[in-house]
Amino acid sequence: MRVLLHTCCGPCASACVPRLKELGYEVTMFYSNSNIDTRDEFEKRAAEAVKLSEADGVNIVFDDYDHESWLRDVAKDYENEPEKGKRCLRCFRFNLERTARYAAKNGFDAFTTSLTVSPHKPSALIFAAGEEKSSDAIKFLPEDFKKKEGFKLSVKRANELGLYRQGYCGCEFSNLEMQRRSSVKNSQNSFN
Ligand code: SF4
């Protein structure tokens, strides 16, 4: 059975590819991340995904980078949502829609996503988005990769393979949130 793995980044996918292979699937990675704030960051993460595909011996396909569409279709009017909120659900839908479309067009049996590896992303929301994009032409495989210590495995493998692990989810709003958290931490440290 051929499965298309939406790949948010190399480190997360490093816990998914071996699990899918163990389950007997033939895996192709699909790097589709128009949510990422800059092209440089998009390409930096893409290069790490390539390293993983080479290490694990699987194919990788790249979607176009279209952050303008993402800003218009996902973030507009949802800029101030917190992480795990409505903007994130819209973001999951956006990326999984593109994954499902590519999978159906290219004869895959199912699609799934590495997004469930992250402890910061509720699997129930991701599954809801995946089921929504499932159709007669292509089924969503609801694999919860954070289970069975998936996140721990992703950290371990990323270290072993020397993969870059980014400090924020991807969009400019998560980047700002990371900067805000680190400036609060720095100012707390300066009082200690
Ligand atoms: S925080 Fe992450 S999941 Fe949420 S909208 Fe931004 S890129 Fe998408």
Side-chain angles (χ1 to χ4, degrees):
M1 193 165 161
R2 294 177 67 220
V3 171
L4 189 66
L5 172 67
H6 165 250
T7 296
C8 60
C9 63
C12 284
S14 74
C16 310
V17 174
R19 170 116 35 117
L20 289 169
K21 280 176 150 185
E22 271 167 37
L23 292 169
Y25 298 116
E26 185 187 322
V27 186
T28 295
M29 293 164 63
F30 185 64
Y31 184 82
S32 180
N33 295 296
S34 290
N35 51 303
I36 295 176
D37 54 350
T38 65
R39 185 174 283 282
D40 280 356
E41 181 70 16
F42 175 86
E43 285 173 1
K44 195 170 174 186
R45 296 187 194 188
E48 303 307 291
V50 169
K51 282 188 203 162
L52 178 75
S53 72
E54 288 171 355
D56 285 359
V58 296
N59 290 331
I60 183 164
V61 175
F62 296 91
D63 195 5
D64 296 336
Y65 176 61
D66 186 3
H67 192 55
E68 278 192 14
S69 294
W70 184 89
L71 283 170
R72 185 192 60 228
D73 297 346
V74 173
K76 190 170 179 300
D77 301 328
Y78 293 85
E79 294 86 348
N80 297 320
E81 281 284 318
E83 260 187 79
K84 303 186 191 177
K86 289 180 186 157
R87 190 188 62 243
C88 295
L89 176 59
R90 293 165 65 83
C91 182
F92 302 152
R93 284 181 182 139
F94 183 94
N95 284 338
L96 293 181
E97 160 86 35
R98 293 168 79 110
T99 308
R101 204 183 311 139
Y102 183 91
K105 235 190 206 172
N106 290 279
F108 285 85
D109 299 296
F111 69 101
T112 190
T113 176
S114 61
L115 288 165
T116 62
V117 170
S118 168
H120 302 294
K121 294 193 175 62
S123 298
L125 277 191
I126 297 163
F127 287 170
E131 293 300 343
E132 209 178 279
K133 303 305 172 191
S134 184
S135 66
D136 288 343
I138 190 75
K139 294 287 168 224
F140 176 66
L141 183 68
E143 188 65 32
D144 194 349
F145 292 106
K146 65 168 71 60
K147 286 197 173 157
K148 300 185 201 149
E149 312 262 33
F151 179 66
K152 237 187 200 174
L153 176 65
S154 73
V155 174
K156 181 173 171 276
R157 290 206 71 211
N159 287 336
E160 284 167 1
L161 296 167
L163 302 180
Y164 154 67
R165 289 180 63 225
Q166 61 275 357
Y168 66 105
C169 182
C171 64
E172 42 276 77
F173 312 104
S174 57
N175 194 344
L176 280 173
E177 179 59 24
M178 175 189 69
Q179 290 172 31
R180 194 192 59 79
R181 276 199 307 262
S182 89
S183 77
V184 168
K185 209 170 160 192
N186 288 341
S187 65
Q188 281 170 345
N189 286 343
S190 66
F191 284 115
N192 292 333

